[in-house]
Amino acid sequence: MTNPQTFIDHMIPTVLGTVRVRITGSGAPILCWPSLLMTGDMWIAQAECLAERHTVIMVDPPGHGRSQPLTAMFGFDDCAQCIVDILDALHIDVTHVLGNSWGGMIGGTFAALHPDRIGRAVLMNCTGSAAGLGQRIEYGALLRLAGLIGGFRGPLVRSAVKAFLGPTTFRTRPDVVDYVRASVRSVDLSSVSFAIRSVVPARVDQLELLATISAPVLVVAGIEDATFAVPETRAMANAIPGSTFQVLDGVAHLAALENPPLINALVADFLTG
């Protein structure tokens, strides 16, 4: 098992600005891309589990954490190219991908657009569909409110905690609730607003693209996920040929944070085939 002192940080130029990655372990690479409003550190528990067999690459996604702030919106193909840029800088030909929410969507995009660079993919708490009208209205109003009141994060924090966590975590995992609140409070609002707009209201339907994936894929849904309900995530899995779909009890939108032992075992089993 590893610990935070064994991580090596890299600042890597990409199509979406300079991105910070943290690397630990050795063996077949696995690149980990988190949800909106989270940094690569949400994968610490997975890194500690997987590092004995894998080189774990935890990404602070564009505009988040120590990565360069965003100044414009982007497309999912840009995010897939960002992964390619990271791999090229690290001299890695092929990687597994572990993604949550935004990371799960981008993992699917990457697998479809760059089939020669993907091993296996675990896509959690995500969707292949465009944002619905209600979600577009909700996030648009939230961003306008945050801007009007001088960058105050209160509405964003409350909305994110409600969207990301379910009743089991609120009842039994106060440390996870505190972690999510602290993570959202720490964001650069002007930067992440570009990411939120790109990933939520401007998100395009990817189901047709996902149908071209040839890599082994595991799609995971949380039974308590209020952001992407099980039927929406199942539709993503159904679009990916030969994919495996699993619904997890007791977790919501951030399964890797909410129940690390469960996710660690699930990912390790899938990566070993």
Side-chain angles (χ1 to χ4, degrees):
M1 182 160 298
T2 185
N3 59 66
Q5 284 70 45
T6 66
F7 285 82
I8 300 174
D9 284 13
H10 296 261
M11 302 300 293
I12 297 177
T14 77
V15 68
L16 292 176
T18 301
V19 169
R20 178 230 197 181
V21 300
R22 303 185 72 198
I23 301 177
T24 190
S26 61
I30 178 167
L31 183 140
C32 307
W33 188 302
S35 167
L36 281 169
L37 307 178
M38 298 287 112
T39 70
D41 287 345
M42 76 161 282
W43 302 110
I44 287 288
Q46 286 68 53
E48 292 178 343
C49 172
L50 297 171
E52 292 184 359
R53 295 186 177 183
H54 295 276
T55 299
V56 182
I57 306 161
M58 303 190 309
V59 179
D60 279 2
H64 290 67
R66 297 186 185 177
S67 293
Q68 184 176 341
L70 289 165
T71 58
M73 292 176 65
F74 53 77
F76 281 14
D77 55 340
D78 297 318
C79 297
Q81 182 60 46
C82 181
I83 295 179
V84 172
D85 294 340
I86 292 169
L87 298 181
D88 288 347
L90 298 174
H91 306 290
I92 293 172
D93 293 327
V94 176
T95 187
H96 302 305
V97 172
L98 173 58
N100 183 92
S101 190
W102 177 19
M105 300 177 216
I106 299 311
T109 311
F110 174 72
L113 295 181
H114 303 280
D116 57 327
R117 307 298 297 269
I118 182 77
R120 289 173 170 254
V122 181
L123 313 179
M124 303 195 304
N125 305 112
C126 48
T127 182
S129 305
L133 178 61
Q135 199 173 61
R136 294 199 304 271
I137 292 173
E138 176 186 358
Y139 276 80
L142 182 64
L143 288 170
R144 287 193 295 273
L145 176 62
L148 286 172
I149 56 183
F152 176 57
R153 290 163 174 76
L156 183 63
V157 172
R158 289 191 293 273
S159 178
V161 170
K162 180 180 178 181
F164 287 175
L165 304 177
T168 300
T169 292
F170 280 116
R171 187 175 65 251
T172 64
R173 303 165 183 141
D175 55 326
V176 175
V177 178
D178 290 343
Y179 179 91
V180 172
R181 284 182 177 140
S183 295
V184 180
R185 287 192 188 107
S186 71
V187 301
D188 177 342
L189 189 58
S190 63
S191 173
V192 302
S193 66
F194 290 109
I196 292 172
R197 282 184 286 180
S198 299
V199 175
V200 184
R203 184 174 74 239
V204 299
D205 191 293
Q206 293 202 106
L207 296 178
E208 185 175 346
L209 176 66
L210 298 178
T212 68
I213 294 175
S214 56
V217 175
L218 169 64
V219 180
V220 177
I223 194 73
E224 299 178 4
D225 192 341
T227 299
F228 300 131
V230 170
E232 184 170 357
T233 305
R234 181 183 287 113
M236 181 184 188
N238 289 343
I240 301 172
S243 70
T244 302
F245 181 61
Q246 188 155 351
V247 180
L248 304 181
D249 292 329
V251 298
H253 193 64
L254 300 178
L257 278 174
E258 295 175 90
N259 193 336
L262 176 62
I263 297 304
N264 293 350
L266 194 67
V267 173
D269 287 348
F270 182 71
L271 293 183
T272 58

